Amino acid sequence: VNFALGVDVGGTNVKAIAVTAKGRVLAEASVPTGGAHLPRWKNAARSAAAAVQRELHSAPTWIGVAAPGLPAPDQRRIAHLPDRLPGLEGLDWQRFFAFPRAIPVVNDAQAALLGEVWLGAARRAQNAILLTLGTGVGGAALVDGRLLRGHLGRAGHLGHISLNPKGERDIVNTPGSLEAAIGNCSLPARSGGRFSDTETLLAATLRGDADARRIWLDSIRALAAAIASLINVLDPRTVMIGGGIANAGPRLFAPLRRHLARFEWRPAGAKVRIVAAQLGDRAGAFGAARCATTFERDPR
Amino acid sequence: VNFALGVDVGGTNVKAIAVTAKGRVLAEASVPTGGAHLPRWKNAARSAAAAVQRELHSAPTWIGVAAPGLPAPDQRRIAHLPDRLPGLEGLDWQRFFAFPRAIPVVNDAQAALLGEVWLGAARRAQNAILLTLGTGVGGAALVDGRLLRGHLGRAGHLGHISLNPKGERDIVNTPGSLEAAIGNCSLPARSGGRFSDTETLLAATLRGDADARRIWLDSIRALAAAIASLINVLDPRTVMIGGGIANAGPRLFAPLRRHLARFEWRPAGAKVRIVAAQLGDRAGAFGAARCATTFERDPR
């Protein structure tokens, strides 16, 4: 049976999923990289791909890669990723895997969105965005049926929108960004050093800790304002929220929906669907596989 | 000679421009509506179109319309525009002009962007955005060579992004929006009633008025933060700025560029072009005409 191999290169693991063009999973593997700053991630990528092929006793028809950074315009390599995964920048994946077909390379957040639109929370969507809330805030956007890539492949960096022009600048210089308002990376700063991850913060809110509650609700108000902004710019039908912080479930979604009832522009009552992403950390590999099956026909 | 008639319906005037498929202007007319809340704008639309045809002694090959509001998915009418231009909502323009061909209807800001990409400040661009700074703040986005429309046709409402989740809500409920930070509509509030339009404000800054200077520079910082955000979301190569406030010229662009040197993400040194729009209030009519010439071939 023909299958696509989706490979998702992350800082801690490389995932590989073998999936048919209809979305049936045949095999999968995950191999630790040993650290985002070591060159060993390449071995992990080879091992993950090899493990899946060994299990299936056959080679993939298509391969697609999801990776952090900005893909080159030809979508065959990552053109820009400073300071992480040494050797990824510029790597030609078709050569790396010695594969007979072109291997498309997609930004990891963009791949996760494509995965969710293929097999997850926004199937067959024409207009959807994904926000992943974790250490940082990632994102991607599908508008009018097409993934936004942009001039440098950076379209959809939804975590880097300003909610305070006078705020501190984040890793890409955005002042007072959404990432700084809700990402785990900023929680120590937001809590005067009391909390370092959202799970602990949420546990404290459940114990009735007033500071924790204020910090959490402020971050959700900021998220709601950001989503209202993105709705006005990208006009999605569905907003998907993934990443570790989305595991908060109703403690996230209930106050978020309350704020959106105030902040969202609802022309003639039309309301955007706010839903949890469904594919978790497999979304990127699914999206990469999906890209691979359609790349030669429609490279966009 | 074949020509397209671009009709731009505004609250104060209806403009009509006859232009060849290569962008040569053959004739134009502008007719006052008598007020955005009166039904007389329809007569103005007929008169403007008729004036141009009379001058040319011939009928257009194509007609396109730019209008405020959200176009329907079939792009044949405006589906949503409460409270202004009575009778525009739902109006079938092909029937209105009794025209043999389909008449595409584009949102006015989206049309202005298409006009600038065709004949103005971002010719042949694949990735460009337009911000119009006037009473309010309008906008539109072209990404990967395509105008963003979105689920309800509202994509590109770039003035309605939040720069302060705790701020007052604007006309579409966005808290502390870009429009509230720089639009003339909010200047009385931002200046404690001292100023009602940006021209007077700028005159005061030239006289050395410290308050005026602070208000102006705050609004530009907010604009810079918003543009940095939009760069991260839409990844344009060119950001065009139009509208009355853009007439401030270097007094706008110099401090804006200074702030962007701090706020903009410049991967590998890549810098977005920040330029003034070139077509002024004719941009929408040009964009409508352009749309008309390509609509039957490629209705998007």
Side-chain angles (χ1 to χ4, degrees), chain A residues 70 80 127 141 143-144 146-158 160-167 169 171-175 218 221-222 225-226 228-237 261-272 300, chain B residues 70 80 127 141 143-144 146-158 160-167 169 171-175 218 221-222 225-226 228-237 261-272 300:
Chain A
L70 306 182
H80 184 76
N127 293 281
V143 180
D144 303 328
R146 292 169 62 123
L147 179 71
L148 299 194
R149 299 177 187 275
H151 179 52
L152 301 175
R154 90 176 121 182
H157 274 77
L158 310 182
H160 303 288
I161 59 179
S162 177
L163 295 165
N164 177 11
K166 296 184 180 178
R169 293 179 292 155
I171 48 162
V172 296
N173 296 327
T174 317
D218 274 358
R221 188 203 335 232
S229 304
L230 294 169
I231 286 172
N232 296 336
V233 172
L234 300 167
D235 194 15
R237 178 161 182 249
R262 299 178 57 236
F263 292 167
E264 184 185 345
W265 176 18
R266 293 179 173 165
K271 197 174 142 182
V272 173
R300 59 193 193 183
Chain B
L70 306 182
H80 183 75
N127 292 281
V143 181
D144 303 329
R146 293 167 61 121
L147 179 71
L148 298 194
R149 299 178 188 275
H151 179 53
L152 301 175
R154 91 176 119 180
H157 274 78
L158 310 183
H160 303 287
I161 60 178
S162 176
L163 295 166
N164 176 10
K166 296 184 180 178
R169 293 179 293 154
I171 47 162
V172 295
N173 295 327
T174 315
D218 273 358
R221 190 207 327 242
S229 304
L230 295 169
I231 286 172
N232 295 336
V233 172
L234 300 167
D235 194 14
R237 179 161 182 251
R262 297 177 59 236
F263 293 167
E264 183 185 344
W265 175 20
R266 293 177 174 169
K271 198 172 141 182
V272 172
R300 59 194 194 184

Side-chain angles (χ1 to χ4, degrees), chain B residues 9-14 32-37 41 68 84-85 108:
Chain B
V9 179
T12 48
N13 290 287
V14 177
T33 60
H37 298 280
W41 68 268
R84 286 166 61 205
L85 298 169
D108 49 4

